[in-house]
Amino acid sequence: MDSEQLREYGHRMVDFIADYYKTIETFPVLSQVQPGYLHNLLPDSAPDQPETLEQVLDDVKEKILPGVTHWQSPSFFAYYPANSSVAGFLGEMLSAALNIVGFSWVSSPAATELEMIVLDWFAKLLNLPEQFLSRGNGGGVIQGTASEAILVVMIAARDKVLRSLGKKALEKLVVYSSDQTHSSLLKACQIAGIHLENCRMLKTDSSTNYALRPESLQEAVSGDLEAGLIPFFLCGTVGTTSSTAVDPLAELGKIAKSNEMWFHVDAAYAGSACICPEYRQYIDGVETADSFNMNAHKWFLTNFDCSLLWVKDRYALTEALSTNPEFLKNKASQANLVVDYKDWQIPLGRRFRSLKLWMVLRLYGAETLKSYIRNHIKLAKDLEQLVSQDPNFEVVTPRIFSLVCFRIAAVDNDEKTCNNLNRSLLDAVNSSGKLFISHTTLSGKFVLRLAIGAPLTEEKHVMDAWKVIQEEASFLLASQVK
Amino acid sequence: MDSEQLREYGHRMVDFIADYYKTIETFPVLSQVQPGYLHNLLPDSAPDQPETLEQVLDDVKEKILPGVTHWQSPSFFAYYPANSSVAGFLGEMLSAALNIVGFSWVSSPAATELEMIVLDWFAKLLNLPEQFLSRGNGGGVIQGTASEAILVVMIAARDKVLRSLGKKALEKLVVYSSDQTHSSLLKACQIAGIHLENCRMLKTDSSTNYALRPESLQEAVSGDLEAGLIPFFLCGTVGTTSSTAVDPLAELGKIAKSNEMWFHVDAAYAGSACICPEYRQYIDGVETADSFNMNAHKWFLTNFDCSLLWVKDRYALTEALSTNPEFLKNKASQANLVVDYKDWQIPLGRRFRSLKLWMVLRLYGAETLKSYIRNHIKLAKDLEQLVSQDPNFEVVTPRIFSLVCFRIAAVDNDEKTCNNLNRSLLDAVNSSGKLFISHTTLSGKFVLRLAIGAPLTEEKHVMDAWKVIQEEASFLLASQVK
């Protein structure tokens, strides 16, 4: 690590990266390589002697980039976005350069303290209740992903119950959510040892736009209580992955509270929108939650990974996840003067991730960030309108944020043909390399998902995407008629 | 995300970082701030309007850096190192720039394939058995930390047993390791729901230099079998965190195998050294292991985080950790043509971490990396010699790699005074800001740990550190005599 070599090579890498962004629209959005493509392009073993930066960068261009799906392309509309920004990128650089391992306060006090401060800032932007702020028993913490967020709160909730009821109660613990909830919930259950037959993924349908009905929850809870089981964990979602369904937090929270369940709110994607006053309503009821999670790395210009988790009772986390080996003991921790984030998460080590979020908030400011979100939502609204005006298509479920769920409409209620057509459309559109969208199913319908949220996406990209979709659809429909 | 702004700001950040490295020796190694120091230096909420990069960088200098413990300082000797290097840093930059989320192959084929290839390269450097390579049922995967590595293999092992014996067997599952094993093992047990009274942290002592005795293991296993319990997981360590103890893998593995236990080898720190033929012996017996882990982010010039895990049976992982939600389904995955690393880990999302490891291996080459390791070990050997020659001090346990465990020697067997003296010495040395070392306890002795492994550390830094330690010790011993 020579500072002058770092300077020279660093500058070259900055130019390489700036050039990548400059030409990003020339790449197929979805990588078009075949499985195993890289195996024959690279040697079988590591080199014994150093190679040059030129050789490596040439290989990045010629061998790696063809295998990259370009999440930062303005025509990336699949899944949910994973925003990169100048501020987020600079934060990543700085964090990688300091390269501290912030497991406990003493290992780099600034890492812990900046995280607490920035999470408080963010909680205020979202107008989260006081109890989620760090000044009391609550507080925020940066996890890698929403999966880890949900796992740590589930472990906290599980151990809280088991401490009072004994370990044998594990087999009676019941988890509730809608069938639209992200797969990370079931994965957390698997890891935490919750019996899968006690995981209630309650059915939803189009009558609530795939939101969980409080009556369904109440009914399930009552049944389980009667059966001698122990309801202990409820996950509500604001902006499901399939279709941005919004569960009614306040009503669900009431049921959770009266049954002493831990109530977790997953707003991984849509949480970003809730910094705008006009979208804040979607997390109304969050005051009834025990924990709240949103991913700044999705739609908030903060490079992956940066998943924000707030809890009301930090001790529920630390009682379940603390370790205190001799080699990490230090005066500040022993005197309980500080937060040691190692006890709020699965791993011991942790990067200085608050830097990038801090830089995003400061270099852009809250007002710019709100405009950023609003612009994507406006583009999605415009697209929704266009889809609904095209007789070949239908909007499958009303758009709320920046995701449009649509499909080629069924003719004569022939759902099977319709699904096949839409599957073919998905393939055709994505193999064009011109854009990348993904899919889901809703009530058995194969549905196309177009999520707007890449930082470079402008109106023309959405319009171009829609044109490609229309053209491929016309072609498919025409060949079907033959 | 404007490519020209990225270029301009990126260059400025490179210079900022290069300047940081140039002046890194001017900072106190261990941050000297008090708990809560940052709270009053930053505003209470995020700004509404954008601030400039200058303002942010000024704040980094004036407010953040004083709270940073400088892991990259050449005088950082605490814990274990967390290497940053030019190659590792460039890899982080590129990975942050592409900012892909590589949960499944299709989401960026290059991310999955490069990871498989580079982990195969590394396995060959370590001369790991064939079964750990990706061409058969095994393979390598990058986890965030050794804690996550141990958790995922424990879940895999747990579920393998529970699938055949039923879920009720959970309460009978027993985990074995030495009492020197990293705290992440107990944390994994906590998370996985293993009953803590079934966690056997077997006692070690100086007679084996704190390595686990196979006889202790055999005895414990026999006792548990007699009691109707089910031995299912053994963790052996090569290079414990306290004192780099090396468990006898071959003998332990034999016991694990004959009792159908999963055998995990944690070589988080010392694994790096094992690429040198003369240190490869310390992982002899790894062929009996089911999984093997080492942290490239510790002592292998790869920026944090990058923890390498190899397994012989990838299906044990994927059977325990797979999810298959509709919104992630794709042809390559459905046809079983590809590896989807989401099913080898806790989180869904994952960064393109193989880039940095690939760049480290290529820009330095295996021979340079071996010299790098050897140099640190030589420096540690020299220091060990110096310590043993100073009548005030003693080496507490023989050095194997680059960690020296020592203390001010006890006078007249007065261990209590001796411990207090060493505790004071630790404080004095670390408050000087001139170096940062940490501590452990071994058989009740308070022991100082000086781990050599920062990329910038040269002979003079070790000699300077030793001088400071000697001086502070003389001062303490002199004031004690009074």
Side-chain angles (χ1 to χ4, degrees), chain A residues 233-306:
Chain A
F233 193 88
L234 167 66
C235 179
T237 306
V238 176
T240 56
T241 308
S242 266
S243 67
T244 67
V246 175
D247 290 336
L249 303 189
E251 292 170 87
L252 298 179
K254 216 177 286 172
I255 301 172
K257 184 151 271 171
S258 64
N259 291 281
E260 292 177 42
M261 293 158 75
W262 185 290
F263 182 27
H264 177 67
V265 174
D266 171 1
Y269 153 73
S272 296
C274 302
I275 66 163
C276 303
E278 69 272 31
Y279 298 110
R280 173 58 175 77
Q281 55 174 304
Y282 293 108
I283 56 167
D284 281 359
V286 66
E287 61 279 5
T288 63
D290 296 285
S291 48
F292 177 81
N293 172 237
M294 68 80 60
N295 286 344
H297 62 238
K298 278 196 163 65
W299 192 18
F300 205 79
L301 294 172
T302 311
N303 294 46
F304 185 75
D305 47 3
C306 192

Side-chain angles (χ1 to χ4, degrees), chain B residues 219-230:
Chain B
E219 202 179 316
V221 169
S222 303
D224 288 326
L225 285 172
E226 265 171 52
L229 296 173
I230 306 164

Side-chain angles (χ1 to χ4, degrees), chain A residues 83-316:
Chain A
N83 285 185
S84 175
S85 69
V86 174
F89 177 70
L90 296 177
E92 282 282 6
M93 282 178 75
L94 190 54
S95 155
L98 297 175
N99 205 44
I100 61 108
V101 185
F103 39 75
S104 43
W105 179 87
V106 75
S107 76
S108 251
T112 298
E113 298 200 12
L114 187 62
E115 187 160 330
M116 294 172 73
I117 291 169
V118 172
L119 274 275
D120 278 352
W121 285 9
F122 210 110
K124 289 175 191 169
L125 284 179
L126 285 168
N127 202 10
L128 292 185
E130 279 282 317
Q131 299 110 294
F132 285 116
L133 297 181
S134 67
R135 70 177 74 115
N137 290 335
V141 57
I142 301 179
Q143 303 280 331
T145 60
S147 308
E148 287 151 274
I150 208 164
L151 176 59
V152 296
V153 295
M154 184 179 293
I155 299 288
R158 180 197 69 182
D159 287 2
K160 212 170 160 179
V161 176
L162 298 187
R163 271 195 302 275
S164 83
L165 299 184
K167 285 171 197 163
K168 294 228 179 243
L170 179 67
E171 62 192 52
K172 294 189 176 171
L173 299 184
V174 189
V175 171
Y176 304 85
S177 77
S178 88
D179 58 0
Q180 300 297 308
T181 304
H182 194 274
S183 54
S184 56
L185 178 71
L186 263 188
K187 185 155 176 171
C189 291
Q190 259 173 275
I191 294 166
I194 308 302
H195 291 203
L196 293 186
E197 62 271 24
N198 292 345
C199 298
R200 311 270 172 265
M201 310 285 116
L202 303 165
K203 212 172 140 36
T204 60
D205 57 36
S206 59
S207 72
T208 61
N209 294 326
Y210 301 95
L212 178 55
R213 286 189 313 114
E215 302 75 29
S216 304
L217 174 64
Q218 185 57 65
E219 201 179 314
V221 169
S222 303
D224 287 327
L225 286 172
E226 265 171 51
L229 297 174
I230 306 164
F232 95 107
F233 193 88
L234 167 66
C235 179
T237 306
V238 176
T240 56
T241 308
S242 266
S243 67
T244 67
V246 175
D247 290 336
L249 303 189
E251 292 170 87
L252 298 179
K254 216 177 286 172
I255 301 172
K257 184 151 271 171
S258 64
N259 291 281
E260 292 177 42
M261 293 158 75
W262 185 290
F263 182 27
H264 177 67
V265 174
D266 171 1
Y269 153 73
S272 296
C274 302
I275 66 163
C276 303
E278 69 272 31
Y279 298 110
R280 173 58 175 77
Q281 55 174 304
Y282 293 108
I283 56 167
D284 281 359
V286 66
E287 61 279 5
T288 63
D290 296 285
S291 48
F292 177 81
N293 172 237
M294 68 80 60
N295 286 344
H297 62 238
K298 278 196 163 65
W299 192 18
F300 205 79
L301 294 172
T302 311
N303 294 46
F304 185 75
D305 47 3
C306 192
S307 180
L308 315 184
L309 171 68
W310 289 269
V311 293
K312 280 185 183 165
D313 175 13
R314 65 171 76 164
Y315 302 106

Side-chain angles (χ1 to χ4, degrees), chain A residues 21 59 97 158 190 320 362, chain B residues 11 21 59 97 158 190 320 362:
Chain A
Y21 274 96
D59 274 1
R158 180 197 69 182
Q190 259 173 275
R362 292 192 61 182
Chain B
H11 284 308
Y21 273 96
D59 275 2
R158 179 197 70 182
Q190 258 172 276
R362 291 191 62 182

Side-chain angles (χ1 to χ4, degrees), chain A residues 1 3 5-7 9 11 13-15 17-21 33 35-38 42-48 50-51 53 59 64 67-69 71-72 79 82-86 89-90 93 96-101 105-110 113-114 121 124 145 147-148 151 155 158 167-168 170-171 182-183 187 190-191 197 241 303-304 320-321 325-327 329 331 338 342 345-351 361-367 427 439 441 456, chain B residues 1 3 5-7 9 11 13-15 17-21 33 35-38 42-48 50-51 53 59 64 67-69 71-72 79 82-86 89-90 93 96-101 105-110 113-114 121 124 145 147-148 151 155 158 167-168 170-171 182-183 187 190-191 197 241 303-304 320-321 325-327 329 331 342 345-351 361-367 427 439 441 456:
Chain A
M1 172 52 91
S3 63
Q5 194 194 47
L6 176 72
R7 197 186 305 270
Y9 283 19
H11 284 308
M13 186 58 94
V14 165
D15 284 327
I17 289 169
D19 291 343
Y20 166 69
Y21 274 96
V33 300
Y37 90 100
L38 194 56
L42 294 182
D44 270 351
S45 55
D48 276 337
E51 298 183 69
L53 183 56
D59 274 1
I64 301 299
V68 167
T69 292
W71 286 66
Q72 303 316 312
Y79 313 121
N83 285 185
S84 175
S85 69
V86 174
F89 177 70
L90 296 177
M93 282 178 75
L98 297 175
N99 205 44
I100 61 108
V101 185
W105 179 87
V106 75
S107 76
S108 251
E113 298 200 12
L114 187 62
W121 285 9
K124 289 175 191 169
T145 60
S147 308
E148 287 151 274
L151 176 59
I155 299 288
R158 180 197 69 182
K167 285 171 197 163
K168 294 228 179 243
L170 179 67
E171 62 192 52
H182 194 274
S183 54
K187 185 155 176 171
Q190 259 173 275
I191 294 166
E197 62 271 24
T241 308
N303 294 46
F304 185 75
L321 297 168
E326 183 63 37
F327 49 82
K329 284 182 183 162
K331 285 185 176 170
V338 293
K342 71 180 175 61
Q345 63 174 22
I346 305 294
L348 172 61
R350 59 204 320 273
R351 292 180 299 134
L361 288 167
R362 292 192 61 182
L363 289 176
Y364 301 130
E367 286 309 316
D427 284 346
H439 81 283
T441 54
L456 291 171
Chain B
M1 171 52 90
S3 63
Q5 193 194 48
L6 177 72
R7 197 185 304 272
Y9 284 19
H11 284 308
M13 186 56 96
V14 166
D15 284 327
I17 289 169
D19 291 344
Y20 166 69
Y21 273 96
V33 299
Y37 90 100
L38 194 56
L42 293 182
D44 269 351
S45 54
D48 277 335
E51 298 182 70
L53 183 56
D59 275 2
I64 303 297
V68 167
T69 292
W71 286 65
Q72 303 315 313
Y79 314 121
N83 286 184
S84 175
S85 68
V86 175
F89 177 70
L90 296 177
M93 282 178 75
L98 297 175
N99 205 44
I100 61 108
V101 185
W105 179 86
V106 75
S107 77
S108 252
E113 298 200 11
L114 186 63
W121 285 10
K124 289 175 191 168
T145 61
S147 308
E148 286 152 275
L151 176 59
I155 299 287
R158 179 197 70 182
K167 286 171 196 163
K168 293 229 179 241
L170 179 67
E171 63 191 51
H182 193 274
S183 55
K187 185 156 176 172
Q190 258 172 276
I191 294 166
E197 61 272 25
T241 308
N303 293 47
F304 185 75
L321 297 168
E326 183 63 37
F327 50 81
K329 284 182 184 164
K331 286 185 176 170
K342 69 181 175 61
Q345 63 174 22
I346 304 296
L348 173 61
R350 60 202 320 274
R351 293 181 299 135
L361 288 167
R362 291 191 62 182
L363 289 175
Y364 300 130
E367 286 309 316
D427 285 346
H439 80 283
T441 55
L456 292 170

